[in-house]
Coordinates of all heavy atoms in Angstrom, one line a residue:
T153 N 24.1 117.1 -123.6 CA 23.5 118.1 -122.6 C 22.0 118.3 -122.9 O 21.2 118.2 -122.0 CB 24.3 119.4 -122.8 OG1 25.7 119.2 -122.5 CG2 23.8 120.4 -121.8
Y154 N 21.7 118.4 -124.1 CA 20.2 118.7 -124.5 C 19.4 117.4 -124.2 O 18.3 117.5 -123.6 CB 20.1 119.0 -125.9 CG 20.4 120.5 -126.3 CD1 21.0 120.8 -127.5 CD2 20.0 121.5 -125.4 CE1 21.3 122.1 -127.8 CE2 20.3 122.8 -125.8 CZ 21.0 123.1 -126.9 OH 21.3 124.4 -127.3
T155 N 20.0 116.2 -124.5 CA 19.2 115.0 -124.2 C 18.9 114.8 -122.8 O 17.8 114.4 -122.4 CB 19.9 113.8 -124.9 OG1 20.1 114.1 -126.2 CG2 19.1 112.5 -124.8
F156 N 19.8 115.1 -121.9 CA 19.6 115.0 -120.5 C 18.7 116.1 -120.0 O 17.9 115.9 -119.1 CB 20.9 115.0 -119.7 CG 21.6 113.6 -119.7 CD1 22.8 113.4 -120.3 CD2 20.9 112.5 -119.1 CE1 23.4 112.2 -120.3 CE2 21.5 111.3 -119.1 CZ 22.8 111.1 -119.7
A157 N 18.8 117.3 -120.6 CA 17.9 118.4 -120.2 C 16.5 118.0 -120.5 O 15.5 118.3 -119.7 CB 18.3 119.7 -120.9
V158 N 16.3 117.4 -121.7 CA 14.9 116.9 -122.0 C 14.4 115.9 -121.0 O 13.3 116.0 -120.6 CB 15.0 116.2 -123.5 CG1 13.7 115.4 -123.7 CG2 15.2 117.3 -124.5
N159 N 15.3 115.1 -120.5 CA 14.9 114.1 -119.5 C 14.4 114.8 -118.2 O 13.4 114.4 -117.7 CB 16.1 113.2 -119.1 CG 15.7 111.9 -118.5 OD1 14.6 111.4 -118.9 ND2 16.5 111.3 -117.6
E160 N 15.0 115.8 -117.8 CA 14.5 116.6 -116.6 C 13.2 117.1 -116.8 O 12.3 117.0 -115.9 CB 15.5 117.7 -116.2 CG 16.9 117.2 -115.7 CD 16.7 116.1 -114.7 OE1 16.0 116.2 -113.6 OE2 17.2 114.9 -114.9
V161 N 12.9 117.7 -118.0 CA 11.6 118.3 -118.2 C 10.5 117.2 -118.4 O 9.5 117.3 -117.8 CB 11.7 119.1 -119.6 CG1 10.3 119.7 -119.9 CG2 12.7 120.2 -119.5
L162 N 10.8 116.2 -119.2 CA 9.8 115.2 -119.5 C 9.5 114.2 -118.4 O 8.4 113.8 -118.2 CB 10.1 114.5 -120.9 CG 10.1 115.5 -122.1 CD1 10.2 114.7 -123.3 CD2 8.9 116.4 -122.1
K163 N 10.6 113.8 -117.6 CA 10.4 112.9 -116.5 C 9.3 113.5 -115.6 O 8.4 112.8 -115.2 CB 11.7 112.7 -115.7 CG 12.3 111.3 -115.9 CD 13.4 111.1 -115.0 CE 14.1 112.2 -114.2 NZ 15.3 111.8 -113.5
K164 N 9.4 114.7 -115.3 CA 8.4 115.4 -114.4 C 7.1 115.5 -115.0 O 6.1 115.2 -114.4 CB 9.0 116.8 -114.0 CG 8.0 117.5 -113.1 CD 8.6 118.6 -112.3 CE 7.7 119.3 -111.4 NZ 6.3 119.1 -111.4
L165 N 7.1 115.9 -116.3 CA 5.8 116.0 -117.0 C 5.0 114.7 -117.0 O 3.8 114.7 -116.7 CB 6.1 116.4 -118.5 CG 4.9 116.8 -119.3 CD1 4.4 118.3 -119.0 CD2 5.2 116.7 -120.8
F166 N 5.7 113.6 -117.3 CA 5.0 112.3 -117.3 C 4.7 111.9 -115.9 O 3.6 111.3 -115.6 CB 5.9 111.3 -118.0 CG 5.9 111.4 -119.5 CD1 6.8 112.2 -120.2 CD2 4.9 110.7 -120.3 CE1 6.7 112.4 -121.6 CE2 4.9 110.9 -121.7 CZ 5.8 111.7 -122.3
S167 N 5.6 112.1 -115.0 CA 5.4 111.6 -113.6 C 4.2 112.3 -113.0 O 3.4 111.7 -112.3 CB 6.7 111.7 -112.8 OG 6.5 112.3 -111.6
D168 N 4.0 113.6 -113.3 CA 2.8 114.4 -112.8 C 1.5 113.8 -113.3 O 0.5 114.1 -112.8 CB 3.0 115.9 -113.2 CG 4.0 116.6 -112.4 OD1 4.5 116.0 -111.4 OD2 4.4 117.7 -112.8
A169 N 1.6 113.1 -114.5 CA 0.5 112.4 -115.0 C 0.3 111.0 -114.6 O -0.4 110.2 -115.2 CB 0.5 112.6 -116.6
G170 N 1.1 110.5 -113.7 CA 1.1 109.1 -113.2 C 1.7 108.2 -114.2 O 1.3 107.0 -114.2
L171 N 2.7 108.7 -115.0 CA 3.3 107.9 -116.0 C 4.8 107.9 -115.8 O 5.4 108.8 -115.2 CB 3.0 108.5 -117.4 CG 1.6 108.6 -117.8 CD1 1.4 109.6 -119.0 CD2 1.0 107.2 -118.2
I172 N 5.5 106.7 -116.2 CA 6.9 106.7 -116.2 C 7.5 106.8 -117.6 O 7.1 106.1 -118.5 CB 7.3 105.3 -115.6 CG1 6.8 105.1 -114.2 CG2 8.9 105.1 -115.6 CD1 7.0 103.7 -113.7
L173 N 8.4 107.7 -117.7 CA 9.2 107.9 -119.0 C 10.3 106.9 -118.9 O 11.3 107.2 -118.2 CB 9.6 109.3 -119.2 CG 10.4 109.5 -120.5 CD1 9.6 109.1 -121.7 CD2 10.9 111.0 -120.6
V174 N 10.2 105.7 -119.5 CA 11.2 104.6 -119.3 C 12.4 104.9 -120.1 O 13.5 104.9 -119.6 CB 10.5 103.3 -119.8 CG1 11.5 102.2 -119.9 CG2 9.3 102.9 -118.9
D175 N 12.3 105.2 -121.4 CA 13.4 105.6 -122.3 C 12.9 106.4 -123.5 O 11.7 106.5 -123.7 CB 14.2 104.4 -122.7 CG 13.4 103.3 -123.4 OD1 12.4 103.6 -124.1 OD2 13.8 102.1 -123.4
Y176 N 13.8 106.9 -124.3 CA 13.4 107.6 -125.5 C 14.5 107.9 -126.4 O 15.7 107.8 -125.9 CB 12.7 109.0 -125.1 CG 13.6 109.9 -124.3 CD1 14.4 110.9 -124.9 CD2 13.5 109.9 -122.9 CE1 15.2 111.7 -124.2 CE2 14.4 110.7 -122.2 CZ 15.2 111.6 -122.8 OH 16.0 112.4 -122.0
K177 N 14.2 108.2 -127.6 CA 15.2 108.5 -128.7 C 15.0 109.9 -129.2 O 13.9 110.3 -129.5 CB 15.0 107.4 -129.8 CG 16.0 107.5 -130.9 CD 15.5 108.3 -132.1 CE 14.3 107.9 -132.8 NZ 13.9 108.8 -133.9
L178 N 16.1 110.6 -129.3 CA 16.1 111.9 -129.9 C 17.0 112.0 -131.1 O 18.1 111.3 -131.1 CB 16.5 113.0 -128.9 CG 15.7 113.1 -127.6 CD1 16.3 114.2 -126.7 CD2 14.2 113.4 -127.9
E179 N 16.7 112.9 -132.0 CA 17.6 113.2 -133.2 C 17.9 114.7 -133.2 O 16.9 115.4 -133.1 CB 17.0 112.7 -134.5 CG 16.9 111.2 -134.6 CD 16.3 110.7 -135.9 OE1 16.5 111.4 -136.9 OE2 15.7 109.7 -135.9
F180 N 19.1 115.1 -133.6 CA 19.4 116.5 -133.6 C 19.9 116.8 -135.1 O 20.3 115.9 -135.8 CB 20.6 116.8 -132.7 CG 20.1 116.7 -131.2 CD1 20.2 115.4 -130.6 CD2 19.7 117.8 -130.6 CE1 19.8 115.3 -129.3 CE2 19.3 117.7 -129.2 CZ 19.3 116.5 -128.6
G181 N 19.9 118.1 -135.4 CA 20.4 118.6 -136.7 C 20.9 120.0 -136.5 O 20.8 120.6 -135.4
V182 N 21.4 120.5 -137.6 CA 22.0 121.8 -137.6 C 21.2 122.8 -138.4 O 20.8 122.5 -139.5 CB 23.5 121.8 -138.1 CG1 24.1 123.2 -138.1 CG2 24.3 120.9 -137.2
Y183 N 20.9 123.9 -137.8 CA 20.1 125.0 -138.5 C 20.9 126.3 -138.3 O 21.2 126.7 -137.2 CB 18.7 125.1 -137.8 CG 17.8 126.2 -138.5 CD1 17.2 125.9 -139.7 CD2 17.6 127.4 -137.9 CE1 16.4 126.9 -140.3 CE2 16.8 128.4 -138.4 CZ 16.2 128.1 -139.7 OH 15.4 129.0 -140.3
Q184 N 21.3 126.8 -139.5 CA 22.1 128.0 -139.5 C 23.3 128.0 -138.4 O 23.4 128.8 -137.5 CB 21.2 129.3 -139.2 CG 20.2 129.4 -140.3 CD 19.1 130.5 -140.1 OE1 19.0 131.0 -139.0 NE2 18.4 130.8 -141.1
D185 N 24.1 126.9 -138.6 CA 25.2 126.7 -137.7 C 25.0 126.4 -136.3 O 25.9 126.3 -135.5 CB 26.2 127.9 -137.8 CG 26.7 128.1 -139.2 OD1 26.9 127.1 -140.0 OD2 26.9 129.3 -139.6
T186 N 23.7 126.2 -135.9 CA 23.4 125.9 -134.6 C 22.7 124.5 -134.4 O 21.9 124.2 -135.2 CB 22.4 127.0 -134.0 OG1 23.1 128.2 -134.1 CG2 22.1 126.8 -132.5
L187 N 23.2 123.7 -133.4 CA 22.6 122.4 -133.2 C 21.3 122.5 -132.4 O 21.2 123.2 -131.4 CB 23.6 121.5 -132.5 CG 23.1 120.1 -132.2 CD1 24.2 119.1 -132.6 CD2 22.7 119.9 -130.7
I188 N 20.2 122.0 -133.0 CA 18.9 122.0 -132.3 C 18.3 120.6 -132.4 O 18.7 119.8 -133.3 CB 18.0 123.1 -132.8 CG1 17.6 122.9 -134.3 CG2 18.5 124.5 -132.6 CD1 16.5 123.9 -134.8
L189 N 17.3 120.4 -131.5 CA 16.6 119.1 -131.6 C 15.6 119.1 -132.8 O 14.9 120.0 -133.1 CB 15.7 119.0 -130.3 CG 14.8 117.8 -130.1 CD1 15.6 116.5 -130.1 CD2 14.0 118.0 -128.8
G190 N 15.6 117.9 -133.5 CA 14.7 117.7 -134.6 C 13.9 116.5 -134.5 O 13.6 116.1 -133.3
D191 N 13.4 116.0 -135.6 CA 12.6 114.8 -135.6 C 11.4 114.9 -134.8 O 10.6 115.8 -134.9 CB 13.4 113.5 -135.4 CG 12.8 112.3 -136.0 OD1 12.5 112.3 -137.2 OD2 12.6 111.3 -135.3
E192 N 11.1 113.9 -133.9 CA 9.8 113.9 -133.2 C 10.0 113.3 -131.8 O 11.0 112.5 -131.5 CB 8.8 113.1 -133.9 CG 8.9 111.6 -133.8 CD 7.9 110.8 -134.6 OE1 6.8 110.5 -134.0 OE2 8.1 110.4 -135.7
F193 N 9.1 113.7 -130.9 CA 9.0 113.0 -129.6 C 7.5 112.6 -129.5 O 6.6 113.4 -129.4 CB 9.3 113.9 -128.4 CG 9.4 113.1 -127.1 CD1 10.6 112.8 -126.6 CD2 8.2 112.7 -126.5 CE1 10.7 112.0 -125.5 CE2 8.3 111.9 -125.4 CZ 9.5 111.5 -124.9
S194 N 7.3 111.2 -129.6 CA 6.0 110.7 -129.6 C 6.1 109.3 -129.0 O 7.2 108.8 -128.9 CB 5.3 110.7 -131.0 OG 5.9 109.6 -131.7
P195 N 5.0 108.6 -128.7 CA 5.0 107.2 -128.3 C 5.7 106.2 -129.3 O 6.0 105.1 -128.9 CB 3.6 106.9 -127.9 CG 2.9 108.2 -127.7 CD 3.6 109.1 -128.7
D196 N 5.9 106.7 -130.5 CA 6.6 105.8 -131.5 C 8.1 105.7 -131.1 O 8.7 104.7 -131.5 CB 6.6 106.5 -132.9 CG 5.4 105.9 -133.7 OD1 4.6 105.1 -133.2 OD2 5.4 106.3 -134.9
G197 N 8.6 106.7 -130.4 CA 10.1 106.7 -130.2 C 10.4 106.8 -128.7 O 11.5 107.2 -128.4
C198 N 9.5 106.4 -127.8 CA 9.8 106.3 -126.4 C 9.1 105.2 -125.7 O 8.2 104.6 -126.4 CB 9.5 107.6 -125.7 SG 7.8 108.1 -125.6
R199 N 9.4 104.9 -124.5 CA 8.6 103.9 -123.8 C 7.9 104.6 -122.6 O 8.6 105.4 -121.9 CB 9.5 102.7 -123.3 CG 9.9 101.8 -124.4 CD 10.6 100.5 -123.8 NE 10.8 99.5 -124.9 CZ 11.9 99.5 -125.5 NH1 13.0 100.2 -125.3 NH2 12.0 98.6 -126.5
I200 N 6.6 104.4 -122.4 CA 5.9 105.0 -121.4 C 5.0 103.9 -120.7 O 4.3 103.2 -121.4 CB 5.0 106.1 -122.0 CG1 5.7 107.2 -122.8 CG2 4.1 106.8 -120.8 CD1 4.9 107.9 -123.7
W201 N 5.1 103.9 -119.4 CA 4.4 102.9 -118.6 C 3.5 103.7 -117.6 O 3.9 104.7 -117.1 CB 5.3 102.0 -117.8 CG 6.2 101.1 -118.6 CD1 6.1 100.9 -120.0 CD2 7.3 100.3 -118.1 NE1 7.1 100.0 -120.3 CE2 7.9 99.7 -119.2 CE3 7.9 100.2 -116.8 CZ2 9.0 98.8 -119.1 CZ3 9.0 99.3 -116.7 CH2 9.5 98.7 -117.8
D202 N 2.3 103.1 -117.3 CA 1.5 103.6 -116.2 C 2.3 103.3 -114.9 O 2.9 102.2 -114.6 CB 0.2 102.8 -116.1 CG -0.6 103.3 -114.9 OD1 -1.4 104.3 -115.1 OD2 -0.5 102.7 -113.8
A203 N 2.4 104.4 -114.0 CA 3.3 104.3 -112.9 C 2.8 103.2 -111.9 O 3.6 102.6 -111.2 CB 3.3 105.7 -112.2
Q204 N 1.5 103.0 -111.8 CA 1.0 102.1 -110.8 C 1.0 100.6 -111.4 O 1.6 99.7 -110.8 CB -0.5 102.4 -110.4 CG -0.6 103.8 -109.7 CD 0.2 103.8 -108.4 OE1 0.3 102.8 -107.7 NE2 0.9 104.9 -108.2
T205 N 0.4 100.5 -112.5 CA 0.1 99.1 -113.1 C 1.3 98.7 -114.0 O 1.3 97.5 -114.3 CB -1.2 99.1 -113.9 OG1 -1.0 100.0 -115.0 CG2 -2.3 99.6 -113.0
K206 N 2.1 99.6 -114.4 CA 3.2 99.3 -115.4 C 2.6 99.0 -116.7 O 3.3 98.4 -117.6 CB 4.2 98.3 -114.9 CG 4.8 98.5 -113.5 CD 5.8 99.7 -113.5 CE 6.5 99.8 -112.2 NZ 5.7 100.3 -111.1
K207 N 1.4 99.3 -117.0 CA 0.8 99.1 -118.3 C 1.6 99.8 -119.4 O 1.9 101.0 -119.2 CB -0.7 99.6 -118.3 CG -1.4 99.3 -119.6 CD -2.8 99.9 -119.6 CE -3.5 99.8 -121.0 NZ -4.7 100.6 -121.0
V208 N 1.9 99.1 -120.4 CA 2.7 99.6 -121.5 C 1.8 100.5 -122.4 O 0.7 100.0 -122.8 CB 3.3 98.5 -122.4 CG1 3.9 99.0 -123.7 CG2 4.3 97.7 -121.6
L209 N 2.2 101.7 -122.7 CA 1.3 102.6 -123.5 C 2.0 103.2 -124.7 O 1.7 104.3 -125.2 CB 0.9 103.8 -122.5 CG 0.1 103.3 -121.3 CD1 0.0 104.5 -120.3 CD2 -1.4 103.0 -121.8
D210 N 3.1 102.5 -125.2 CA 3.9 103.0 -126.3 C 4.0 102.0 -127.4 O 3.2 101.0 -127.4 CB 5.3 103.3 -125.7 CG 5.8 102.1 -125.0 OD1 6.2 101.1 -125.7 OD2 5.9 102.1 -123.8
K211 N 5.0 102.2 -128.3 CA 5.1 101.4 -129.5 C 5.4 99.9 -129.2 O 5.3 99.1 -130.0 CB 6.2 102.0 -130.4 CG 6.1 101.5 -131.8 CD 7.3 102.0 -132.6 CE 7.1 101.9 -134.0 NZ 8.3 102.5 -134.7
D212 N 5.8 99.6 -128.0 CA 6.0 98.2 -127.6 C 4.7 97.4 -127.7 O 4.7 96.2 -128.0 CB 6.5 98.0 -126.2 CG 8.1 98.0 -126.1 OD1 8.7 98.0 -127.2 OD2 8.6 98.1 -125.0
R213 N 3.5 98.1 -127.6 CA 2.3 97.5 -127.9 C 2.2 96.9 -129.3 O 1.6 95.9 -129.5 CB 1.1 98.4 -127.7 CG 0.9 99.0 -126.2 CD -0.4 99.5 -125.9 NE -1.4 98.5 -125.9 CZ -1.7 97.7 -124.8 NH1 -1.0 97.9 -123.7 NH2 -2.6 96.8 -124.9
F214 N 2.8 97.6 -130.2 CA 2.9 97.2 -131.6 C 4.0 96.1 -131.8 O 3.7 95.0 -132.4 CB 3.2 98.4 -132.5 CG 3.5 98.0 -133.9 CD1 2.5 97.5 -134.8 CD2 4.7 98.2 -134.5 CE1 2.8 97.2 -136.1 CE2 5.0 97.9 -135.8 CZ 4.0 97.4 -136.6
R215 N 5.2 96.4 -131.2 CA 6.3 95.4 -131.4 C 5.9 94.0 -130.9 O 6.2 93.0 -131.4 CB 7.5 95.9 -130.6 CG 8.2 97.2 -131.2 CD 9.5 97.4 -130.4 NE 10.1 98.7 -130.8 CZ 9.9 99.8 -130.1 NH1 9.2 99.8 -128.9 NH2 10.4 101.0 -130.5
K216 N 5.1 94.0 -129.7 CA 4.8 92.8 -129.1 C 3.4 92.3 -129.4 O 2.9 91.5 -128.6 CB 5.0 93.0 -127.6 CG 6.4 93.3 -127.1 CD 6.5 93.5 -125.6 CE 7.9 93.8 -125.2 NZ 8.1 94.2 -123.8
D217 N 2.8 92.9 -130.4 CA 1.4 92.5 -130.8 C 0.4 92.5 -129.6 O -0.4 91.5 -129.4 CB 1.4 91.0 -131.4 CG 2.2 91.1 -132.7 OD1 2.0 92.0 -133.5 OD2 3.0 90.1 -132.9
M218 N 0.5 93.6 -128.8 CA -0.4 93.6 -127.6 C -1.8 94.2 -128.0 O -2.7 94.2 -127.2 CB 0.2 94.5 -126.5 CG 1.5 93.8 -126.0 SD 2.5 95.0 -125.1 CE 1.7 95.0 -123.5
G219 N -1.9 94.8 -129.2 CA -3.2 95.4 -129.6 C -3.4 96.8 -129.0 O -2.6 97.2 -128.1
D220 N -4.5 97.5 -129.4 CA -4.8 98.9 -128.9 C -3.6 99.8 -128.8 O -3.3 100.5 -127.8 CB -5.4 98.8 -127.4 CG -6.8 98.1 -127.4 OD1 -7.4 98.2 -128.5 OD2 -7.2 97.6 -126.4
V221 N -2.8 99.8 -129.9 CA -1.6 100.6 -130.0 C -1.9 102.1 -129.9 O -1.5 102.8 -129.0 CB -0.8 100.3 -131.3 CG1 0.4 101.2 -131.3 CG2 -0.5 98.8 -131.3

Side-chain angles (χ1 to χ4, degrees):
T153 301
Y154 282 142
T155 303
F156 280 116
V158 166
N159 203 33
E160 289 317 303
V161 178
L162 296 190
K163 248 189 346 187
K164 176 161 185 347
L165 188 80
F166 282 88
S167 133
D168 288 348
L171 299 163
I172 300 171
L173 179 58
V174 171
D175 58 27
Y176 57 90
K177 181 268 299 180
L178 301 179
E179 292 180 31
F180 293 85
V182 177
Y183 182 75
Q184 296 173 350
D185 297 327
T186 303
L187 182 129
I188 63 175
L189 176 63
D191 204 49
E192 74 180 276
F193 190 102
S194 77
D196 263 5
C198 67
R199 290 191 169 94
I200 304 160
W201 298 347
D202 179 89
Q204 296 302 319
T205 64
K206 307 289 187 290
K207 181 182 174 191
V208 169
L209 295 165
D210 55 70
K211 201 185 193 177
D212 271 351
R213 298 197 69 81
F214 171 68
R215 294 188 187 97
K216 299 179 178 173
D217 296 319
M218 297 165 78
D220 290 339
V221 179

